[in-house]
């Protein structure tokens, strides 16, 4: 569900969740509605189709088993699934001692969204931005990913990452500012 959902969509989703809580056979429409977006989210993080399918299955199994605990708190049900997906993916990377985000696969998308950077040729911009992003903390990368790749609003990002909305906003703007300052410093060094 996108961030511009109207009240009727929320009511319909609430009814779907209520039915699924009483009988898990009604979970199928929820699964069908969210499977693809959750799979893509995980696949982007793992760059492995089989692993993404496995983790996505775990996400929906966890959601089914915990469905009775879900409560609407001003964010769509999809945000709850993203939170579970984030936790499953983090757990996988932690258990396998790998970095959370494949920067090589993400750099083109991030370059396209970082319009604050000066106009330079795309290949150079990609190379420089990938280098700069690799210096960010994992949490900074997760926030940028949810904001720009998943187009989540700050309230949803805060819910997914279990943070305060104000903290998410501040961290995102600081991360973008950090990227911009590092870029300018790097660019100045190349022009000297």
């Amino acid at each position: 569900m996108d961030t511009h959902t109207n009240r009727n969509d929320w009511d319909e989703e609430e009814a779907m969740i209520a039915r699924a809580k009483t009988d898990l056979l009604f979970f199928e429409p929820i699964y069908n509605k969210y499977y693809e977006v959750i799979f893509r989210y995980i696949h982007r993080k793992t760059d492995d189709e089989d692993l993404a399918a496995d983790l996505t299955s775990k996400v929906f199994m966890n959601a089914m088993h915990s469905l009775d605990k879900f409560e609407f708190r001003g964010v769509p049900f999809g945000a709850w699934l993203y939170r579970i997906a984030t936790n499953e993916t983090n757990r996988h990377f932690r258990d396998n001692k790998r970095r959370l985000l494949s920067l090589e696969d993400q750099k083109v998308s991030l370059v396209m969204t970082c319009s604050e950077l000066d106009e330079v040729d795309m290949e150079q911009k990609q190379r420089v931005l990938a280098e700069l992003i690799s210096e960010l903390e994992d949490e900074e990368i997760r926030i940028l990913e949810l904001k720009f790749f998943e187009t989540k609003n700050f309230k949803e990002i805060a819910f997914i990452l279990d943070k305060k909305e104000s903290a998410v906003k501040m961290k995102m703007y600081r991360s973008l500012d950090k990227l911009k300052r590092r870029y300018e410093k790097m660019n100045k060094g190349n022009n000297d």
Side-chain angles (χ1 to χ4, degrees), residues 1-189:
M1 186 183 309
D2 68 21
T3 57
H4 304 292
T5 307
N6 69 39
R7 186 67 206 158
N8 289 337
D9 289 340
W10 281 58
D11 291 342
E12 181 182 317
E13 186 166 84
E14 244 180 300
M16 284 173 40
I17 303 301
R19 282 191 302 271
K21 283 182 175 184
T22 61
D23 185 346
L24 283 179
L25 291 176
F26 290 106
F27 190 78
E28 185 178 2
I30 298 166
Y31 174 86
N32 291 336
K33 180 176 183 176
Y34 287 106
Y35 179 85
E36 191 172 323
V37 294
I38 297 298
F39 174 83
R40 279 196 321 257
Y41 174 66
I42 294 172
H43 186 259
R44 223 183 345 267
K45 292 170 161 291
T46 63
D47 195 30
D48 181 326
E49 199 168 310
D50 292 333
L51 176 59
D54 288 345
L55 292 175
T56 303
S57 294
K58 287 182 181 182
V59 167
F60 284 98
M61 288 300 293
N62 289 344
M64 279 181 19
H65 292 300
S66 302
L67 192 60
D68 58 327
K69 297 174 187 164
F70 173 77
E71 297 175 12
F72 279 92
R73 296 183 184 166
V75 293
F77 181 76
W80 189 62
L81 292 174
Y82 272 93
R83 179 187 251 183
I84 296 170
T86 297
N87 291 339
E88 276 300 321
T89 307
N90 290 345
R91 184 177 303 113
H92 169 77
F93 282 104
R94 191 173 45 250
D95 292 349
N96 292 286
K97 296 177 179 29
R98 289 177 45 206
R99 184 162 169 121
L100 179 64
L101 187 63
S102 170
L103 295 172
E104 206 49 42
D105 298 326
Q106 299 296 338
K107 66 183 179 182
V108 174
S109 296
L110 252 176
V111 166
M112 300 284 210
T113 59
C114 289
S115 59
E116 292 182 38
L117 300 177
D118 294 336
E119 284 302 315
V120 294
D121 111 311
M122 184 59 80
E123 190 173 313
Q124 179 187 357
K125 190 184 263 189
Q126 290 173 354
R127 181 184 50 74
V128 169
L129 192 54
E131 186 178 326
L132 295 174
I133 291 168
S134 69
E135 297 171 10
L136 293 177
E137 299 168 13
D138 285 343
E139 184 176 83
E140 292 173 311
I141 294 170
R142 280 193 294 273
I143 290 169
L144 292 174
E145 177 188 28
L146 287 166
K147 182 67 177 167
F148 295 113
F149 302 143
E150 302 299 328
T151 62
K152 298 298 175 196
N153 64 37
F154 287 115
K155 187 173 188 172
E156 290 172 308
I157 296 169
F159 178 81
I160 292 165
L161 298 179
D162 197 22
K163 303 278 182 198
K164 291 186 184 259
E165 190 174 342
S166 59
V168 168
K169 285 180 185 177
M170 184 172 34
K171 189 148 217 145
M172 190 195 83
Y173 291 123
R174 284 183 179 169
S175 299
L176 290 174
D177 188 51
K178 187 189 305 184
L179 285 173
K180 186 175 182 180
R181 281 185 282 117
R182 287 180 179 169
Y183 174 79
E184 288 169 352
K185 183 178 177 184
M186 186 181 255
N187 199 31
K188 183 179 180 192

